[in-house]
Amino acid sequence: MNFAAKMLRDDALLGKVIVVTGGGSGLGKAMTKYFLELGAQVAITSRDYEKLKETATALEAETGGTCLPVACDVRHYEEVENMLQQVLTAFGTVDVLLNNAAGNFISPTERLSANAFDTVIDIVLKGSKNCTLAFGKHWIDTKKPNATILNIVTTYAFTGSAYVVPSATAKAGVLAMTRSLAVEWAKYGIRSNAIAPGPFPTKGAWDRLLPGDLAEKFDLAKKVPLKRVGDHQELANLAAYLVSDFSAYINGEVVVIDGGEWLKGAGQFNLLESIPEALWDQLEAMIKAKKNR
């Protein structure tokens, strides 16, 4: 079976303008590429403008679409408002907000500083709130029809998980916001949904979370009943459907795409209970060394 096969017809997103936070790499880049292939115009945002520009140029060359890089730190509301204005200046409108920007630490919670905890909360929960509020106010003020918010959460947003407590806390908040606004803002024609992916390894994020040979030692595919991790195109297919008009009657849902992982054992990182203290010290040293390069 070809898990990388594309699902929707080529013009499924024609005419739509989509903003993807954290769109410069990983899953954000994979979703952006498919949106462009389906005819959408896409703005990608993150703090690293040079990386965004490089990604946008490459994706335009691959797809023939229009990809706008906009530097934005979603932790700061004024930067989000400025990003929105740049998108409106470039495209005239915006139809979809995809809150994908994220940060995470794998660590025993007692080893985290208050600042480390805040960093994840600020990017994931506060960042999603900032973007949602700015875009929502704009759509309501301009009476924009058929606007869509899609949030990337996790399965441990509703199960909880040890060793990723800041992420679990933040993602749970995003999920609550998704469901709450699906009801409150439906009268304005704004749909709000979420995707909860299981393991979809990306080079950058997974190298930071499980550096060295830890990724092999703690093979998350072994926790998945289907005995594999997800292909990026599978997630892109689902995201494209949920922001398309084909899903116009789906509102307030969180769609799990994890091969049955959370049903097999709640808490994606609970298996790290077996890590001894000495290995946690080694893990911290490896992460610090990677950050200091």
Side-chain angles (χ1 to χ4, degrees), residues 51-289:
K51 187 174 184 179
L52 285 175
K53 190 164 64 171
E54 182 180 315
T55 296
T57 299
L59 290 179
E60 287 186 338
E62 287 183 65
T63 67
T66 301
C67 185
L68 175 71
V70 183
C72 176
D73 187 339
V74 295
R75 296 175 297 180
H76 303 296
Y77 189 76
E78 65 277 8
E79 290 197 30
V80 171
E81 286 192 313
N82 180 61
M83 175 266 287
L84 172 58
Q85 289 307 312
Q86 289 187 60
V87 173
L88 292 174
T89 298
F91 297 127
T93 188
V94 60
D95 303 281
V96 176
L97 167 65
L98 199 170
N99 284 313
N100 171 70
N104 202 356
F105 296 104
I106 288 186
S107 174
T109 306
E110 69 273 16
R111 287 179 175 242
L112 292 174
S113 67
N115 183 63
F117 206 117
D118 286 347
T119 295
V120 177
I121 296 292
D122 286 351
I123 295 172
V124 177
L125 181 53
K126 186 178 177 182
S128 296
K129 176 273 295 181
N130 285 342
C131 292
T132 298
L133 197 58
F135 281 63
K137 284 175 178 287
H138 167 72
W139 287 329
I140 293 166
D141 289 345
T142 59
K143 296 180 170 56
K144 170 73 177 177
N146 305 319
T148 302
I149 301 165
L150 180 61
N151 297 317
I152 304 299
V153 294
T154 64
T155 53
Y156 57 70
F158 43 88
T159 66
S161 178
Y163 304 105
V164 284
V165 172
S167 177
T169 302
K171 293 289 192 180
V174 174
L175 180 55
M177 181 173 66
T178 302
R179 289 169 167 160
S180 301
L181 290 179
V183 176
E184 183 178 343
W185 283 358
K187 62 180 176 285
Y188 301 118
I190 300 172
R191 291 190 299 123
S192 183
N193 292 298
I195 296 174
F200 280 82
T202 60
K203 177 68 176 167
W206 288 79
D207 280 355
R208 288 192 298 272
L209 289 173
L210 296 171
D213 62 352
L214 287 175
E216 188 170 332
K217 286 183 180 179
F218 298 97
D219 183 1
L220 295 177
K222 294 176 181 176
K223 287 191 66 194
V224 179
L226 292 179
K227 300 301 179 188
R228 67 176 180 89
V229 296
D231 186 276
H232 288 195
Q233 185 62 45
E234 293 178 284
L235 181 63
N237 284 339
L238 177 58
Y241 169 68
L242 288 174
V243 303
S244 76
D245 294 338
F246 296 114
S247 65
Y249 203 50
I250 298 178
N251 187 37
E253 285 301 309
V254 53
V255 182
V256 175
I257 178 167
D258 74 344
E261 180 203 29
W262 90 266
L263 291 171
K264 183 177 180 182
Q268 188 168 315
F269 291 94
N270 284 349
L271 78 167
L272 299 182
E273 180 70 31
S274 60
I275 292 184
E277 284 294 314
L279 191 51
W280 280 118
D281 292 334
Q282 179 187 343
L283 174 58
E284 278 189 5
M286 292 167 70
I287 291 174
K288 287 177 181 176

Side-chain angles (χ1 to χ4, degrees), residues 33 38 157 205 262:
K33 180 182 178 183
L38 295 174
W262 90 266

